[in-house]
Amino acid sequence: MAKYYVTTPIYYPNDIPHIGHAYTTVIADVLARWHKKLGDDVFFLTGLDEHGKKIQEAAEAKGMKPREFVDKLVPEFKNAWKLLNLNYDHFVRTTDKDHELVVKEVLKLCNKKGDIYKGFYEGLYCTGCEAYYTEKELEEGNCPIHKKPVKTLKEESYFFRLSKYQNKLLEFYDKNKEFISPGYRKPEIINRVKEGLNDISISRTSFKWGVDLPFDKNHVTYVWFDALTNYISGIGYPKAKFKKYWPADLHLVGKDIFFFHAVLWPAMLMSAGIKNPKKVFAHGWWTIDGQKMSKSLGNVVNIPELVKYGTDSARYFLVREVPFGADGDFSMKLLVQRHNKELLNDLGNFVNRSMALLNKYSNGKIPKKGKDELCKLFNFNATKKFIDILETHNALSEIFKFVNECNKYVNEKQPWNEEDEKILSNILYNLAEALRYLSIILEPFIPETAGKIAKQMNLKDKLSFKELKFGKLKEGHKIGKTEILFMKIEEEEKMAKKEEIANVEMVKGKDWIEFGDWEKMKLRTGTIKKVQQHPNADNLYVIIVDLGYEERQLVAGLKKFYAIDELMNKKVIVFTNLKPAVIRGIESEGMILAAEDAKSCTVGLLTVDKKELKDGAVIR
Ligand code: MSP
C-alpha cells in the first residue's frame, strides 16, 4: 500500500479564516480523498502558526494574552473547516507541547552540525511577514507583500548558516526535478539561490511569545523556523508515524511563502540530517471582483460567506475556476453561474432524470446487467493523470465531460420512446451504472453531493476506485428515494437575466403586432409526441405535436425549463396559424403557448386538464 502525506501551510490565527486559507485546504482535502480512494494510506495535516510578534501584537490590540487570544481563534478555524467538509487527520498547533519539543530537537541537531552561531542582526523588518527584507527587495521603501513601511530592527540573534547550503540546494533541485512545482516557478527560486543566500536570523529577544532556544533561554525561536517544523512534529517526529509518512509527498503553499518552503525548509532538514520532502507546490492568489482582498477594502471573503450557496458549490468553484497554480478572481456571480449551469443543470439534471426513468420504467429496481455504452466514456486514466500533475481543475473538468456525455446519452436514446424492452432495460442499466460511477468519482471534489447520489442509489458511501468497473450493480437492487441535489440560485441570476428579459420583451412586442388581431388567431389542443434537441441551438427543442388532423413541427425555447421526458405526452395549446418561420435552420409551424414570470425566470406551459379531450379541439 502506497502512503500519501499532504500538508497545508499552518495559518496565522490573527483573524478569522478567509478564502485564501480555504483554497489550499480544500485542494489538500481533494487530494487526500482522491488518494484514499486509490487505496493509499493517507495523512492530511493542517493547523495554526500561533507564535511570533504578529500574534502577540494582535492579542495586545484586543487586550488579551497571546494564549487566550489564539485559543479563541482555534474554533473559528476548526468550524470553518467543518463548513467546508474538510477531512484532515491532524490539526497541529505550534503551541502544542510536543511540537515545541520537536522545534528544540531540530535546533539542537542544526547546532550540533555547527550551523547555528550568535551575532547581531540589523535589518528592515516587516511584522506582517515576520521577516527581514533587504533594501533591494522593498517596493518604494515598503514591504513587497503588505505594502507597508518596514521597521529597522537591531538585536542580538542566533543565525542559521543558510549560505552554506547554496550549492547543496542547487544540486538537490537538479536531482529532484519535481521538487519545485509548478515547473514555471523554478527560475524564481533557482535564480534567487544562485544569487547567493544570506545566513538567516533565527531568534528574537524583542518579544517572548515563542519557543525558547534550547541553548539560550533569553531568545525565542524565529517564527518561520518554528512553523516549518510542524510538518514533522505533526506526524510525531521521530516516532513510528513519522517513519511511516515522512518524507511528505506534497507541501501545498501560496506563492508568497514559496521561498521559505523551497529554500529554508530543505536547508534546515539537510542540516538536521532529515530527508527532504518530495514536492513543494505554490499556487496563486485570489483577488475579489478584480481587487486585492483586504480588510481595509472590506472585501474579505470569509468561510460562511463562501459557502452561502452550499459547501459543494464553493468547493466546486474553488477547484474548477482557476488553473491550479495561477492567480484567479473570485466573484459570487461566477460561483452562482457555475452552480446553476454545471452543478444544477448538468449534474443535478442528469441524476434527477435518471432516477425518474429508473423509477418509472423499472419500478425503482436495477434491471438486468447490460452492455457498457456510457461508463466507457469516462476516462479515468486521464483524470488520474491530471491529479498526478496537480492540474486539479482539469481533473474536475474531465469528470464533467463525462456528465455531459451522460446527458447526451439520455437525449439520444430517448428511453421514454423506446418500445423494445431489451433496449430499454440496457439503457436503464447504463444510467444506473453512470450514477454509481458519479457517486465514486465526484466524492473527492464534492463529497456531500456524491454521498447523496450514493444514498439515492442505495449504495455504500465512499467506495474506492476499484469499484469503477462496469456491471457491479446487481439486478433487482432497489434504488432509494430521489432527492434534489441543487436548488437554483435565483438572486444573482435575476440580475444577469434582467437585461436579457428586457430584450426578449422588445422582440415580443414586435411579434405582437405581427400576431395580428386576436380574432384571427387559431388555438387548438395538441399532444407532444416527440422532442429532440435542436441541432444548432443549445436552448431550443424541436417538437412534434399531434393536432389530431395532422402532426406539426415546432421549435420552442423550452430547454431551460423542461427536460425532454417532462414534455412527452403533455396536452398543450398550439397557436396553429402563426406564419411559419425557419429558426436556426429548422422550420417551425406554429407556437406552443406558455406563461412566463420574468421576475423569477420561470416558464410554464398552458396545458389541458382533461385527458379525454381530443387533439385538435378548438379553443374559443
Ligand atoms: N503562517 C504562515 C505559513 C507557515 S507554513 C509553515 C503564513 N500564514 S498566513 O495565514 O499568512 O497565510 C497562509 C496561506 O494563505 C499562504 O499560503 C498564503 O498564500 C495564503 N493566502 C492568503 N491570502 C491569499 C489569497 N488572497 N489567495 C490565495 N491564497 C492566499 O503565511
Side-chain angles (χ1 to χ4, degrees):
M1 194 197 237
K3 65 93 189 165
Y4 186 75
Y5 176 31
V6 60
T7 68
T8 72
I10 48 172
Y11 307 110
Y12 290 130
N14 55 338
D15 210 336
I16 59 170
H18 57 63
I19 185 176
H21 306 131
Y23 186 42
T24 334
T25 324
V26 164
I27 299 277
D29 186 68
V30 168
L31 295 171
R33 286 176 187 266
W34 176 275
H35 279 270
K36 268 183 203 153
K37 282 189 129 42
L38 274 179
D40 293 351
D41 181 350
V42 172
F43 202 89
F44 164 19
L45 181 73
T46 190
L48 296 180
D49 188 355
E50 301 184 4
H51 288 133
K53 204 174 169 88
K54 193 208 291 252
I55 303 292
Q56 186 174 310
E57 283 178 355
E60 278 161 8
K62 289 248 150 91
M64 286 163 114
K65 291 251 155 57
R67 179 76 210 204
E68 190 194 349
F69 177 75
V70 291
D71 281 352
K72 273 226 154 102
L73 278 154
V74 170
E76 293 284 349
F77 279 82
K78 287 194 172 169
N79 289 337
W81 296 166
K82 224 182 253 162
L83 282 180
L84 280 162
N85 208 350
L86 305 177
N87 220 347
Y88 51 84
D89 294 291
H90 182 56
F91 189 92
V92 64
R93 298 180 57 182
T94 51
T95 49
D96 290 339
K97 279 286 153 274
D98 47 356
H99 167 79
E100 296 192 357
L101 287 174
V102 177
V103 174
K104 290 185 180 177
E105 184 54 31
V106 173
L107 282 162
K108 279 190 215 158
L109 288 169
C110 298
N111 198 25
K112 227 164 130 190
K113 190 77 165 275
D115 287 343
I116 292 179
Y117 63 92
K118 196 166 163 183
F120 272 97
Y121 193 83
E122 183 171 345
L124 303 163
Y125 193 77
C126 168
T127 329
C129 300
E130 296 284 7
Y132 282 102
Y133 282 96
T134 60
E135 203 83 55
K136 209 171 119 194
E137 286 163 339
L138 299 181
E139 282 173 10
E140 293 165 13
N142 288 335
C143 158
I145 307 284
H146 293 89
K147 319 278 181 219
K148 284 191 185 146
V150 289
K151 291 182 197 161
T152 305
L153 276 191
K154 181 174 176 172
E155 53 181 324
E156 187 186 76
S157 178
Y158 284 86
F159 284 80
F160 173 67
R161 289 188 203 280
L162 186 59
S163 58
K164 176 176 152 188
Y165 289 93
Q166 180 184 14
N167 288 335
K168 288 196 174 78
L169 282 168
L170 291 172
E171 267 167 43
F172 172 71
Y173 302 147
D174 196 45
K175 277 202 195 118
N176 299 276
K177 301 264 189 266
E178 297 275 295
F179 179 74
I180 304 175
S181 289
Y184 58 80
R185 291 198 192 272
K186 271 188 193 179
E188 130 200 355
I189 294 293
I190 293 180
N191 292 341
R192 206 162 150 190
V193 175
K194 277 188 180 157
E195 274 173 21
L197 295 168
N198 293 326
D199 290 347
I200 187 164
S201 154
I202 55 148
S203 76
R204 301 282 180 265
T205 49
S206 51
F207 62 92
K208 278 269 126 222
W209 182 235
V211 182
D212 290 344
L213 287 188
F215 35 82
D216 190 340
K217 299 273 174 288
N218 293 324
H219 288 245
V220 292
T221 312
Y222 167 50
V223 72
W224 271 101
F225 207 98
D226 173 355
L228 288 163
T229 311
N230 92 87
Y231 299 129
I232 58 173
S233 74
I235 47 167
Y237 172 86
K239 297 195 204 101
K241 209 194 282 162
F242 167 79
K243 292 200 176 94
K244 182 167 161 195
Y245 290 110
W246 193 256
D249 293 82
L250 178 64
H251 292 317
L252 290 173
V253 301
K255 62 181 184 181
D256 54 319
I257 57 173
F258 204 18
F259 177 82
F260 294 106
H261 285 82
V263 180
L264 177 59
W265 180 225
M268 280 168 61
L269 288 168
M270 285 176 189
S271 172
I274 301 170
K275 272 193 193 158
N276 266 327
K278 293 186 191 161
K279 184 180 285 197
V280 180
F281 184 99
H283 63 72
W285 269 44
W286 287 93
T287 49
I288 312 296
D289 294 311
Q291 278 185 306
K292 190 178 171 335
M293 184 170 74
S294 82
K295 250 182 151 178
S296 49
L297 284 175
N299 65 352
V300 177
V301 177
N302 61 29
I303 313 308
E305 169 74 5
L306 182 62
V307 301
K308 83 172 182 194
Y309 293 123
T311 296
D312 280 354
S313 304
R315 290 176 62 113
Y316 181 84
F317 178 82
L318 290 179
V319 179
R320 184 70 190 82
E321 180 68 13
V322 174
F324 192 48
D327 292 336
D329 188 45
F330 175 87
S331 87
M332 229 6 134
K333 197 168 147 202
L334 291 175
L335 185 150
V336 167
Q337 271 169 13
R338 286 203 182 267
H339 170 105
N340 282 346
K341 165 76 180 67
E342 285 142 63
L343 293 177
L344 183 138
N345 269 6
D346 297 347
L347 176 64
N349 195 18
F350 172 70
V351 173
N352 222 16
R353 287 163 95 185
S354 304
M355 288 296 293
L357 289 164
L358 282 163
N359 277 320
K360 184 162 179 189
Y361 297 108
S362 189
N363 231 348
K365 284 192 183 143
I366 301 300
K368 197 160 161 258
K369 180 175 166 184
K371 212 173 106 241
D372 187 2
E373 289 174 343
L374 184 53
C375 291
K376 65 178 183 190
L377 301 177
F378 173 59
N379 194 340
F380 178 72
N381 288 336
T383 315
K384 181 175 179 302
K385 183 95 201 284
F386 284 132
I387 292 282
D388 290 345
I389 57 172
L390 294 175
E391 292 187 11
T392 36
H393 57 292
N394 279 331
L396 193 50
S397 109
E398 195 64 38
I399 294 174
F400 272 73
K401 263 193 218 161
F402 175 58
V403 172
N404 288 339
E405 290 293 348
C406 289
N407 277 315
K408 213 163 101 194
Y409 182 81
V410 183
N411 294 347
E412 279 170 14
K413 295 286 174 184
Q414 305 199 354
W416 49 90
N417 279 340
E418 187 54 65
E419 275 160 18
D420 184 322
E421 273 192 23
K422 265 198 180 151
I423 298 179
L424 177 63
S425 149
N426 186 50
I427 298 171
L428 294 174
Y429 191 83
N430 271 277
L431 295 181
E433 275 294 70
L435 290 177
R436 191 177 66 84
Y437 265 50
L438 286 172
S439 78
I440 300 173
I441 55 182
L442 286 169
E443 195 266 338
F445 303 89
I446 44 174
E448 193 183 325
T449 306
K452 282 185 187 163
I453 302 174
K455 193 165 159 226
Q456 293 186 45
M457 288 299 289
N458 202 6
L459 292 170
K460 262 203 231 136
D461 204 358
K462 302 206 173 133
L463 291 171
S464 92
F465 287 142
K466 284 204 188 94
E467 302 291 320
L468 291 178
K469 279 188 197 109
F470 184 84
K472 288 242 169 186
L473 274 173
K474 296 264 179 312
E475 183 181 346
H477 172 89
K478 185 99 184 77
I479 62 170
K481 249 177 72 193
T482 309
E483 192 190 338
I484 299 289
L485 296 181
F486 300 97
M487 300 297 280
K488 187 161 186 181
I489 305 170
E490 306 277 5
E491 200 181 303
E492 319 257 330
E493 268 268 294
K494 263 191 246 164
M495 284 180 350
K497 279 269 158 201
K498 257 188 199 159
E499 229 178 305
E500 202 180 307
I501 290 166
N503 290 340
V504 169
E505 299 286 21
M506 269 170 60
V507 174
K508 275 189 189 152
K510 229 168 33 186
D511 281 349
W512 290 338
I513 299 160
E514 271 193 10
F515 277 170
D517 40 343
W518 289 88
E519 276 168 31
K520 281 191 189 152
M521 192 173 173
K522 286 193 179 129
L523 299 174
R524 286 178 190 272
T525 60
T527 301
I528 297 183
K529 285 291 169 200
K530 199 170 174 189
V531 184
Q532 273 177 314
Q533 171 66 51
H534 191 298
N536 310 321
D538 277 353
N539 58 340
L540 300 179
Y541 283 139
V542 182
I543 297 177
I544 305 290
V545 189
D546 192 349
L547 291 172
Y549 57 96
E550 68 174 26
E551 285 194 345
R552 281 287 182 90
Q553 176 175 288
L554 310 158
V555 173
L558 292 171
K559 172 85 185 291
K560 264 200 208 150
F561 312 102
Y562 288 92
I564 291 180
D565 42 323
E566 286 172 323
L567 289 175
M568 288 302 296
N569 298 318
K570 265 207 159 65
K571 257 189 190 307
V572 292
I573 299 176
V574 185
F575 178 2
T576 55
N577 60 338
L578 176 68
K579 198 170 152 210
V582 176
I583 303 176
R584 297 277 194 113
I586 301 279
E587 173 140 76
S588 181
E589 290 184 320
M591 178 192 266
I592 299 177
L593 296 193
E596 181 186 18
D597 173 11
K599 248 192 177 172
S600 66
C601 305
T602 317
V603 163
L605 286 178
L606 303 189
T607 56
V608 179
D609 64 354
K610 281 200 174 142
K611 284 246 159 56
E612 61 273 25
L613 201 80
K614 282 209 175 105
D615 290 332
V618 178
I619 295 164
R620 310 175 203 274

